[in-house]
Amino acid sequence: MEENSIVTIQNSVINKAIDFIFDNIDNEITVDDVARHCSYSKYNLMRMFKEHTDEALYQFIKRTRIERSA
């Protein structure tokens, strides 16, 4: 598989994860919930998310929840 294809797939998964978080931020979602929604293992999704956003997935969920409540 070409490098561009891998990056495109990873970007798609990250976008799917972010959309899920935004759509469900009022619920008590966990990293496991996001990973399950994206059909990835928790560890692979966390690694990929950190690599592409420079922020840990659980930290992104927490920050988004705080920003939404403010």
Side-chain angles (χ1 to χ4, degrees):
M1 193 178 272
E2 288 186 34
E3 180 77 22
N4 286 343
S5 297
I6 294 170
V7 171
T8 300
I9 291 168
Q10 289 176 342
N11 286 341
S12 175
V13 171
I14 298 305
N15 288 336
K16 186 175 182 177
I18 290 171
D19 288 344
F20 179 78
I21 292 165
F22 286 156
D23 290 345
N24 295 282
I25 199 63
D26 292 330
N27 302 323
E28 286 298 318
I29 57 172
T30 64
V31 172
D32 285 322
D33 296 328
V34 180
R36 201 171 14 262
H37 176 77
C38 295
S39 301
Y40 270 74
S41 75
K42 175 172 116 175
Y43 302 104
N44 280 333
L45 183 61
M46 288 182 351
R47 179 191 51 77
M48 200 181 342
F49 196 91
K50 175 76 173 176
E51 183 178 300
H52 286 272
T53 66
D54 289 331
E55 184 173 20
L57 180 55
Y58 67 87
Q59 192 65 35
F60 179 83
I61 294 169
K62 184 177 174 182
R63 181 176 58 78
T64 303
R65 189 171 283 129
I66 289 169
E67 288 175 358
R68 174 136 167 99
S69 69

PDB file of all heavy atoms in Angstrom, residues 20-22 24-25 27-31 33-34 61 65:
ATOM      1  N   PHE A  20     -17.439  11.541  15.956  1.00  0.00           N
ATOM      2  CA  PHE A  20     -18.131  10.765  16.990  1.00  0.00           C
ATOM      3  C   PHE A  20     -18.055  11.481  18.336  1.00  0.00           C
ATOM      4  O   PHE A  20     -19.050  11.560  19.071  1.00  0.00           O
ATOM      5  CB  PHE A  20     -17.530   9.362  17.094  1.00  0.00           C
ATOM      6  CG  PHE A  20     -18.159   8.511  18.149  1.00  0.00           C
ATOM      7  CD1 PHE A  20     -19.384   7.899  17.926  1.00  0.00           C
ATOM      8  CD2 PHE A  20     -17.537   8.318  19.370  1.00  0.00           C
ATOM      9  CE1 PHE A  20     -19.977   7.111  18.909  1.00  0.00           C
ATOM     10  CE2 PHE A  20     -18.117   7.533  20.358  1.00  0.00           C
ATOM     11  CZ  PHE A  20     -19.348   6.933  20.121  1.00  0.00           C
ATOM     12  N   ILE A  21     -16.891  12.007  18.663  1.00  0.00           N
ATOM     13  CA  ILE A  21     -16.717  12.720  19.934  1.00  0.00           C
ATOM     14  C   ILE A  21     -17.631  13.945  19.983  1.00  0.00           C
ATOM     15  O   ILE A  21     -18.345  14.162  20.956  1.00  0.00           O
ATOM     16  CB  ILE A  21     -15.238  13.105  20.146  1.00  0.00           C
ATOM     17  CG1 ILE A  21     -14.407  11.838  20.364  1.00  0.00           C
ATOM     18  CG2 ILE A  21     -15.096  14.078  21.323  1.00  0.00           C
ATOM     19  CD1 ILE A  21     -12.911  12.048  20.227  1.00  0.00           C
ATOM     20  N   PHE A  22     -17.632  14.750  18.911  1.00  0.00           N
ATOM     21  CA  PHE A  22     -18.479  15.944  18.884  1.00  0.00           C
ATOM     22  C   PHE A  22     -19.959  15.582  18.963  1.00  0.00           C
ATOM     23  O   PHE A  22     -20.732  16.259  19.649  1.00  0.00           O
ATOM     24  CB  PHE A  22     -18.221  16.763  17.628  1.00  0.00           C
ATOM     25  CG  PHE A  22     -16.921  17.522  17.646  1.00  0.00           C
ATOM     26  CD1 PHE A  22     -16.319  17.889  16.453  1.00  0.00           C
ATOM     27  CD2 PHE A  22     -16.294  17.883  18.820  1.00  0.00           C
ATOM     28  CE1 PHE A  22     -15.127  18.596  16.443  1.00  0.00           C
ATOM     29  CE2 PHE A  22     -15.098  18.589  18.829  1.00  0.00           C
ATOM     30  CZ  PHE A  22     -14.521  18.956  17.634  1.00  0.00           C
ATOM     31  N   ASN A  24     -21.279  13.046  20.422  1.00  0.00           N
ATOM     32  CA  ASN A  24     -21.626  12.366  21.672  1.00  0.00           C
ATOM     33  C   ASN A  24     -21.015  13.003  22.910  1.00  0.00           C
ATOM     34  O   ASN A  24     -20.992  12.378  23.974  1.00  0.00           O
ATOM     35  CB  ASN A  24     -21.197  10.899  21.585  1.00  0.00           C
ATOM     36  CG  ASN A  24     -21.981  10.165  20.534  1.00  0.00           C
ATOM     37  OD1 ASN A  24     -23.125   9.787  20.759  1.00  0.00           O
ATOM     38  ND2 ASN A  24     -21.383   9.969  19.364  1.00  0.00           N
ATOM     39  N   ILE A  25     -20.551  14.227  22.808  1.00  0.00           N
ATOM     40  CA  ILE A  25     -19.800  14.836  23.902  1.00  0.00           C
ATOM     41  C   ILE A  25     -20.658  15.024  25.158  1.00  0.00           C
ATOM     42  O   ILE A  25     -20.130  15.065  26.262  1.00  0.00           O
ATOM     43  CB  ILE A  25     -19.149  16.172  23.460  1.00  0.00           C
ATOM     44  CG1 ILE A  25     -18.017  16.538  24.412  1.00  0.00           C
ATOM     45  CG2 ILE A  25     -20.188  17.290  23.339  1.00  0.00           C
ATOM     46  CD1 ILE A  25     -16.881  15.572  24.433  1.00  0.00           C
ATOM     47  N   ASN A  27     -22.581  12.820  26.331  1.00  0.00           N
ATOM     48  CA  ASN A  27     -22.654  11.506  26.969  1.00  0.00           C
ATOM     49  C   ASN A  27     -21.303  11.188  27.612  1.00  0.00           C
ATOM     50  O   ASN A  27     -20.294  11.819  27.298  1.00  0.00           O
ATOM     51  CB  ASN A  27     -22.990  10.430  25.936  1.00  0.00           C
ATOM     52  CG  ASN A  27     -24.294  10.720  25.224  1.00  0.00           C
ATOM     53  OD1 ASN A  27     -25.234  11.205  25.824  1.00  0.00           O
ATOM     54  ND2 ASN A  27     -24.329  10.455  23.935  1.00  0.00           N
ATOM     55  N   GLU A  28     -21.285  10.221  28.469  1.00  0.00           N
ATOM     56  CA  GLU A  28     -20.034   9.793  29.102  1.00  0.00           C
ATOM     57  C   GLU A  28     -19.297   8.824  28.175  1.00  0.00           C
ATOM     58  O   GLU A  28     -19.325   7.614  28.378  1.00  0.00           O
ATOM     59  CB  GLU A  28     -20.322   9.135  30.454  1.00  0.00           C
ATOM     60  CG  GLU A  28     -20.714  10.108  31.535  1.00  0.00           C
ATOM     61  CD  GLU A  28     -19.616  11.107  31.847  1.00  0.00           C
ATOM     62  OE1 GLU A  28     -18.431  10.723  31.912  1.00  0.00           O
ATOM     63  OE2 GLU A  28     -19.952  12.290  32.010  1.00  0.00           O
ATOM     64  N   ILE A  29     -18.662   9.362  27.155  1.00  0.00           N
ATOM     65  CA  ILE A  29     -17.942   8.502  26.210  1.00  0.00           C
ATOM     66  C   ILE A  29     -16.516   8.273  26.697  1.00  0.00           C
ATOM     67  O   ILE A  29     -15.939   9.100  27.402  1.00  0.00           O
ATOM     68  CB  ILE A  29     -17.936   9.085  24.780  1.00  0.00           C
ATOM     69  CG1 ILE A  29     -17.338  10.497  24.758  1.00  0.00           C
ATOM     70  CG2 ILE A  29     -19.315   9.063  24.185  1.00  0.00           C
ATOM     71  CD1 ILE A  29     -17.125  11.048  23.366  1.00  0.00           C
ATOM     72  N   THR A  30     -15.979   7.135  26.307  1.00  0.00           N
ATOM     73  CA  THR A  30     -14.618   6.768  26.679  1.00  0.00           C
ATOM     74  C   THR A  30     -13.802   6.534  25.413  1.00  0.00           C
ATOM     75  O   THR A  30     -14.351   6.473  24.307  1.00  0.00           O
ATOM     76  CB  THR A  30     -14.610   5.473  27.510  1.00  0.00           C
ATOM     77  OG1 THR A  30     -15.093   4.403  26.679  1.00  0.00           O
ATOM     78  CG2 THR A  30     -15.476   5.602  28.756  1.00  0.00           C
ATOM     79  N   VAL A  31     -12.521   6.379  25.590  1.00  0.00           N
ATOM     80  CA  VAL A  31     -11.642   6.035  24.481  1.00  0.00           C
ATOM     81  C   VAL A  31     -12.087   4.705  23.865  1.00  0.00           C
ATOM     82  O   VAL A  31     -12.083   4.549  22.645  1.00  0.00           O
ATOM     83  CB  VAL A  31     -10.166   5.975  24.940  1.00  0.00           C
ATOM     84  CG1 VAL A  31      -9.269   5.433  23.848  1.00  0.00           C
ATOM     85  CG2 VAL A  31      -9.695   7.357  25.386  1.00  0.00           C
ATOM     86  N   ASP A  33     -15.120   3.586  23.652  1.00  0.00           N
ATOM     87  CA  ASP A  33     -16.299   3.853  22.828  1.00  0.00           C
ATOM     88  C   ASP A  33     -15.894   4.388  21.454  1.00  0.00           C
ATOM     89  O   ASP A  33     -16.439   3.980  20.429  1.00  0.00           O
ATOM     90  CB  ASP A  33     -17.228   4.880  23.498  1.00  0.00           C
ATOM     91  CG  ASP A  33     -17.809   4.388  24.806  1.00  0.00           C
ATOM     92  OD1 ASP A  33     -18.035   3.163  24.941  1.00  0.00           O
ATOM     93  OD2 ASP A  33     -18.045   5.235  25.690  1.00  0.00           O
ATOM     94  N   VAL A  34     -14.957   5.311  21.458  1.00  0.00           N
ATOM     95  CA  VAL A  34     -14.495   5.904  20.196  1.00  0.00           C
ATOM     96  C   VAL A  34     -13.810   4.845  19.333  1.00  0.00           C
ATOM     97  O   VAL A  34     -14.071   4.733  18.134  1.00  0.00           O
ATOM     98  CB  VAL A  34     -13.548   7.097  20.451  1.00  0.00           C
ATOM     99  CG1 VAL A  34     -13.072   7.698  19.137  1.00  0.00           C
ATOM    100  CG2 VAL A  34     -14.230   8.159  21.317  1.00  0.00           C
ATOM    101  N   ILE A  61     -10.897  14.410  24.324  1.00  0.00           N
ATOM    102  CA  ILE A  61     -12.262  14.241  24.823  1.00  0.00           C
ATOM    103  C   ILE A  61     -12.490  15.164  26.023  1.00  0.00           C
ATOM    104  O   ILE A  61     -13.488  15.884  26.096  1.00  0.00           O
ATOM    105  CB  ILE A  61     -12.543  12.773  25.203  1.00  0.00           C
ATOM    106  CG1 ILE A  61     -12.517  11.884  23.957  1.00  0.00           C
ATOM    107  CG2 ILE A  61     -13.879  12.649  25.937  1.00  0.00           C
ATOM    108  CD1 ILE A  61     -12.528  10.387  24.252  1.00  0.00           C
ATOM    109  N   ARG A  65     -14.991  18.439  26.151  1.00  0.00           N
ATOM    110  CA  ARG A  65     -16.070  18.463  27.134  1.00  0.00           C
ATOM    111  C   ARG A  65     -16.010  19.766  27.961  1.00  0.00           C
ATOM    112  O   ARG A  65     -17.015  20.407  28.201  1.00  0.00           O
ATOM    113  CB  ARG A  65     -15.972  17.243  28.046  1.00  0.00           C
ATOM    114  CG  ARG A  65     -17.179  17.091  28.943  1.00  0.00           C
ATOM    115  CD  ARG A  65     -17.179  15.778  29.675  1.00  0.00           C
ATOM    116  NE  ARG A  65     -17.587  14.714  28.770  1.00  0.00           N
ATOM    117  CZ  ARG A  65     -16.922  13.572  28.586  1.00  0.00           C
ATOM    118  NH1 ARG A  65     -15.830  13.321  29.246  1.00  0.00           N
ATOM    119  NH2 ARG A  65     -17.371  12.676  27.741  1.00  0.00           N
TER     120      ARG A  65
END
